[in-house]
Amino acid sequence: DDGYRVAGEFWSKFDKFDDDLIPSANVPQADNFGVIQHTLRAVGSDKRYGPEIVDYLVEKTDEDWTRRQADYYTLAGFALGFLERTEGKHDGHKMRRWELTQDGHQYLRLLEEDDEQALNYLCEQIESVEIFSIIINRLKDEKIDQDDIKQLIREYTEVTGTTIGRRATTIRSWLRKIEEVKVYDNGNPPYDCFVKDRGPIGHTSL
């Protein structure tokens, strides 16, 4: 009755986008590295569009896949620097087209030749992803847990809402790949914590 008012609580949610934040596409939401490898091989075998990649994943995993689920894995490849995206046409429709980068070709080659080198190369790529650089830099000074990872996602990325939790779960599984990061159980119920390994480099411990 007394006119229009600005809903401050609503508009304040957009304040975080005033800063230079990590794009949502660069914060992974795909935690199965076997499927990431299938996705890269799909693109390497000239399956460049979403529907083709879905068909490839169905064939290789014997599971049902949606375009949205498959997109999580192409975007994971993109975040790792293994894929790049362009625009093309598929069945007469304008659509995102994926290409392997030089790093993507190198990773697939290593997977065929040497599992250990492939893992080391993957870990190097993970550490180069900006959100992981931030997390690992924080680990130099203190241990962090899942709530800390969620907070770092809120602070440094464009990811919002319920997807923060899913991205944090993926980040947790990716951190387990990195030898310099120790993962340990903190309390009951089990709760993963992470700390920078200050001793000799060895395999990730749980």
Side-chain angles (χ1 to χ4, degrees):
D1 294 336
D2 56 353
Y4 294 102
R5 294 187 301 276
V6 174
E9 182 180 356
F10 172 80
W11 291 108
S12 67
K13 296 185 183 300
F14 294 89
D15 288 346
K16 69 173 294 184
F17 297 102
D18 291 341
D19 299 321
D20 186 16
L21 299 174
I22 299 169
S24 178
N26 292 342
V27 185
Q29 193 174 318
D31 55 8
N32 187 322
F33 283 94
V35 176
I36 292 175
Q37 292 167 12
H38 283 317
T39 302
L40 298 177
R41 291 188 179 106
V43 177
S45 60
D46 209 30
K47 309 293 190 296
R48 308 295 178 86
Y49 296 96
E52 297 174 330
I53 294 171
V54 167
D55 290 342
Y56 188 95
L57 292 179
V58 169
E59 178 186 348
K60 295 298 181 181
T61 65
D62 199 27
E63 297 177 7
D64 291 331
W65 286 84
T66 65
R67 280 284 304 282
R68 183 175 182 179
Q69 290 170 323
D71 282 347
Y72 294 150
Y73 284 88
T74 49
L75 288 173
F78 174 76
L80 286 165
F82 293 150
L83 293 176
E84 60 185 358
R85 47 190 178 180
T86 59
E87 292 293 332
K89 279 192 175 182
H90 178 72
D91 286 343
H93 299 285
K94 188 176 181 181
M95 199 175 295
R96 184 184 293 161
R97 186 175 191 269
W98 293 101
E99 303 278 354
L100 283 174
T101 64
Q102 184 175 351
D103 287 332
H105 282 290
Q106 173 73 350
Y107 180 56
L108 289 181
R109 184 182 65 79
L110 290 173
L111 285 172
E112 297 297 323
E113 297 177 357
D114 189 314
D115 288 342
E116 185 175 354
Q117 285 193 34
L119 177 58
N120 291 337
Y121 193 75
L122 173 64
C123 289
E124 289 174 5
Q125 295 299 116
I126 292 174
E127 293 185 59
S128 71
V129 177
E130 190 172 2
I131 185 61
F132 284 91
S133 296
I134 291 169
I135 291 170
I136 292 170
N137 189 58
R138 181 69 61 88
L139 286 172
K140 293 177 182 177
D141 301 318
E142 59 184 308
K143 69 176 181 289
I144 65 173
D145 60 24
Q146 196 72 351
D147 287 338
D148 295 318
I149 291 175
K150 291 178 183 177
Q151 182 55 39
L152 291 171
I153 293 172
R154 289 188 189 96
E155 184 177 352
Y156 289 101
T157 82
E158 294 180 352
V159 179
T160 61
T162 58
T163 58
I164 289 175
R166 294 196 289 272
R167 307 293 176 104
T169 298
T170 296
I171 287 173
R172 178 179 64 188
S173 68
W174 286 31
L175 282 173
R176 288 175 177 271
K177 290 283 185 183
I178 301 174
E179 290 183 335
E180 291 180 291
V181 176
K182 282 187 174 178
V183 187
Y184 64 94
D185 179 4
N186 183 39
N188 188 24
Y191 200 64
D192 284 342
C193 281
F194 304 89
V195 64
K196 186 79 170 177
D197 186 356
R198 301 184 186 280
I201 300 302
H203 292 292
T204 302
S205 59
L206 301 178

